[in-house]
Amino acid sequence: MHALQLKGPFDFDHRTDAPAPHPGPGQISVRLATAAICGSDMPKVRSTADRRSGTTGFPIHECVGYVVDADPATGMQAGRRVLAMPVQEQGLAEVYLAELAATHAVAADHLTDAQATLIQPIATVLYAAGKLAADLSGRRVTVLGLGPIGLLTAHVLSRRGAVVTGVDPVIRDPALTAAFGLTRHVRDTAAAWVRRDPEPAEICVEAVGHQQHTLRDAITLTGHSGTVLAMGVPDEPDYVVPFETLLRRNQTLIGSITPTWQEWFGSAEAYLCRHLDELGLLLTHHVAITDAASAYRLYDRPAADRLKVILTADWSRS
């Protein structure tokens, strides 16, 4: 079986002798069709520090494919197209294992395999947005970070009536930011925006992660009785935050990352189908899986024309 194995930062071996997995209780095996790189994958590719580093197929988790075999108790039939998150993020393989609890049978035939990968990040955003008021009419929202998660969050909250400002130094096409519901794009860092003392946000979404600074900036940018929604994935277990600001402004800090997937995948697919014209704009690059190192390097460099990078399961190219 074909599979990739990370042997060093941004360096993969292409194996042709990897053993094919067999599903255990509650599991299915899936033939990979497409996978989408996520920002949370990047620390795992930049370093081999993760305990799973070097295991076959690591690291990817936004995967769509077709059922090969399944524990009969799952009710999954061979050939069914699924969005299925790999066990231990080991999806860079011709066939991988997934738990039923992290699997969704894709119902919409008109979605391409690449488009269907968006169901997982949309589910993450819908779950986070569910922690806020359903009606955000006229509420001032600032989103820090206009990568795929930040843009998806802007899309969801603007359609609940929020007036959304996005902060990100990367150039974005005005047509793109308008499509995702932003009324303003501040082309600067969050730290620089803080120094300009803007009108306080009622809700500030931290969608950058991987360092502490932007969470501190989010608290500073949020007004009295406001809410900070922290969605950026941390690279370290402990953060230092301006607690006195949070306390004296009576702010609410909400963390959100991993939903109970089965409760949100269906809603996410429906949301994707309703807004496919806009959300499909996130898919900007397609790279053969055998050139995964180049794909991860591409994702690692912020660029005006780069959002989601899709790996296609073409194992014949090398």
Side-chain angles (χ1 to χ4, degrees), residues 176 280-286 298 304-310:
L176 175 77
L281 298 173
L282 292 174
L283 308 174
T284 57
H285 291 75
H286 294 73
L298 174 65
D305 65 341
R306 196 275 298 152
L307 287 166
K308 295 296 281 184
V309 178
I310 298 294

Side-chain angles (χ1 to χ4, degrees), residues 76-153:
M76 286 287 181
Q77 300 298 315
R80 190 75 171 88
R81 183 166 68 149
V82 291
L83 174 114
M85 299 174 67
V87 171
Q88 294 297 316
E89 302 184 28
Q90 294 174 271
L92 296 172
E94 190 175 1
V95 177
Y96 67 87
L97 288 178
E99 303 285 349
L100 179 64
T103 298
H104 169 70
V106 180
D109 292 337
H110 68 282
L111 292 177
T112 67
D113 292 337
Q115 290 167 342
T117 63
L118 293 172
I119 293 170
Q120 190 270 342
I122 293 170
T124 301
V125 169
L126 292 178
Y127 170 64
K131 300 179 181 185
L132 303 173
D135 183 1
L136 297 173
S137 297
R139 302 283 297 276
R140 296 186 307 279
V141 173
T142 297
V143 177
L144 304 183
L146 295 180
I149 290 294
L151 287 169
L152 283 171
T153 303

Side-chain angles (χ1 to χ4, degrees), residues 3-264:
L4 299 184
Q5 193 164 13
L6 187 69
K7 61 180 183 178
F10 295 97
D11 189 10
F12 291 90
D13 272 338
H14 176 188
R15 294 184 56 186
T16 58
D17 61 348
H22 299 286
Q27 292 184 329
I28 62 173
S29 60
V30 180
R31 185 172 301 279
L32 180 68
T34 55
I37 296 176
C38 171
S40 65
D41 299 327
M42 298 313 302
K44 303 157 192 170
V45 175
R46 296 188 193 112
S47 165
T48 58
D50 191 288
R51 61 179 177 79
R52 297 165 293 180
S53 190
T55 57
T56 303
F58 179 81
I60 201 99
H61 61 274
E62 296 179 9
C63 298
V64 168
Y66 296 81
V67 175
V68 174
D69 194 8
D71 171 14
T74 65
M76 286 287 181
Q77 300 298 315
R80 190 75 171 88
R81 183 166 68 149
V82 291
L83 174 114
M85 299 174 67
V87 171
Q88 294 297 316
E89 302 184 28
Q90 294 174 271
L92 296 172
E94 190 175 1
V95 177
Y96 67 87
L97 288 178
E99 303 285 349
L100 179 64
T103 298
H104 169 70
V106 180
D109 292 337
H110 68 282
L111 292 177
T112 67
D113 292 337
Q115 290 167 342
T117 63
L118 293 172
I119 293 170
Q120 190 270 342
I122 293 170
T124 301
V125 169
L126 292 178
Y127 170 64
K131 300 179 181 185
L132 303 173
D135 183 1
L136 297 173
S137 297
R139 302 283 297 276
R140 296 186 307 279
V141 173
T142 297
V143 177
L144 304 183
L146 295 180
I149 290 294
L151 287 169
L152 283 171
T153 303
H155 193 277
V156 170
L157 299 187
S158 68
R159 277 149 186 81
R160 294 187 182 183
V163 179
V164 184
T165 295
V167 181
D168 194 307
V170 177
I171 297 170
R172 294 292 182 216
D173 187 328
L176 175 77
T177 56
F180 279 83
L182 281 99
T183 58
R184 183 181 188 187
H185 173 200
V186 177
R187 278 200 54 223
D188 214 332
T189 64
W193 185 232
V194 166
R195 289 194 295 271
R196 287 155 65 178
D197 195 25
E199 183 178 9
E202 295 173 81
I203 298 168
C204 190
V205 180
E206 197 286 322
V208 181
H210 306 295
Q211 38 70 49
Q212 300 187 31
H213 305 295
T214 45
L215 181 58
R216 297 201 295 266
D217 294 335
I219 292 170
T220 304
L221 287 164
T222 303
H224 196 277
S225 300
T227 299
V228 177
L229 178 60
M231 297 179 65
V233 175
D235 286 351
E236 51 194 295
D238 301 309
Y239 273 32
V240 177
V241 299
F243 181 71
E244 185 172 9
T245 300
L246 185 97
L247 180 71
R248 293 193 180 281
R249 293 184 185 176
N250 289 301
Q251 293 174 348
T252 300
L253 174 61
I254 299 174
S256 188
I257 185 167
T258 304
T260 304
W261 294 113
Q262 289 285 359
E263 294 180 14
W264 292 94

